[in-house]
Amino acid sequence: MVKNMMKKITPLGALSITTAILCGIWAYVAGVAGLISWAGFAGCTTYFASGEHGIVGMRKTLFPNLLGVLLGMILINLSAIFPLFGELGIWCGIITFVMCMSSNFKLFDFCPGIFMGCFTTFAANGQWKGLVLALVIGAFLGIACDYSGMWLYKAIRKE
């Protein structure tokens, strides 16, 4: 019975199983290590949202996320130096423009990834070091989920 059920599994089903296992492990390890677990999920989500796989998916995750963190920190610091411009939304408008225009460059061509990096910077209260580490680990979590899902599907279908 179990064998018949396993033969009916879809690629999405296999991906769901391995993603659940790996994300559960990440949540536990992040908690024990004092890492920002939700930021790791943001990196993983960016990987899958990019629509790409493997090294291309990693590139579309890492570079835009990290640029977004940088731009988020610039926005936080400009708002601290010139608070009136921050209150008026001027810095937000300028940084948003820069984020959108940055997507014209190959390294940063996944604009939602830039925005993900930027807004996670605000959510992390500007604690960029821990955020960057968790986003990078999250990108690797994404590729691990992706590849392990493909592996499980192929292993099940082989019989």
Side-chain angles (χ1 to χ4, degrees):
M1 182 171 165
V2 171
K3 197 172 193 179
N4 285 336
M5 285 177 29
M6 293 302 280
K7 285 186 178 187
K8 293 180 182 181
I9 197 164
T10 64
L12 179 59
L15 177 64
S16 299
I17 292 167
T18 60
T19 298
I21 293 167
L22 292 175
C23 287
I25 293 169
W26 161 249
Y28 174 76
V29 170
V32 169
L35 299 171
I36 307 171
S37 64
W38 61 262
F41 290 120
C44 183
T45 300
T46 305
Y47 174 84
F48 281 104
S50 77
E52 299 290 347
H53 300 275
I55 298 302
V56 176
M58 289 292 286
R59 183 196 60 78
K60 284 189 167 285
T61 299
L62 290 173
F63 292 112
N65 274 179
L66 297 179
L67 177 61
V69 171
L70 174 64
L71 292 172
M73 289 305 299
I74 290 171
L75 178 54
I76 288 169
N77 287 301
L78 285 174
S79 294
I81 296 168
F82 303 102
L84 179 61
F85 287 0
E87 290 172 16
L88 294 174
I90 292 170
W91 296 131
C92 185
I94 291 169
I95 295 298
T96 299
F97 175 80
V98 171
M99 286 192 290
C100 293
M101 291 304 293
S102 296
S103 66
N104 284 309
F105 297 96
K106 179 104 175 119
L107 275 180
F108 311 113
D109 62 356
F110 184 54
C111 195
I114 301 171
F115 276 85
M116 180 80 81
C118 188
F119 77 67
T120 58
T121 305
F122 305 140
N125 294 317
Q127 302 300 314
W128 66 270
K129 291 176 187 173
L131 174 63
V132 165
L133 179 59
L135 284 170
V136 169
I137 292 170
F140 282 97
L141 176 62
I143 200 169
C145 292
D146 190 12
Y147 281 14
S148 64
M150 288 187 282
W151 170 84
L152 179 60
Y153 180 72
K154 288 176 184 174
I156 290 170
R157 302 301 287 186
K158 215 177 242 189
E159 291 183 8

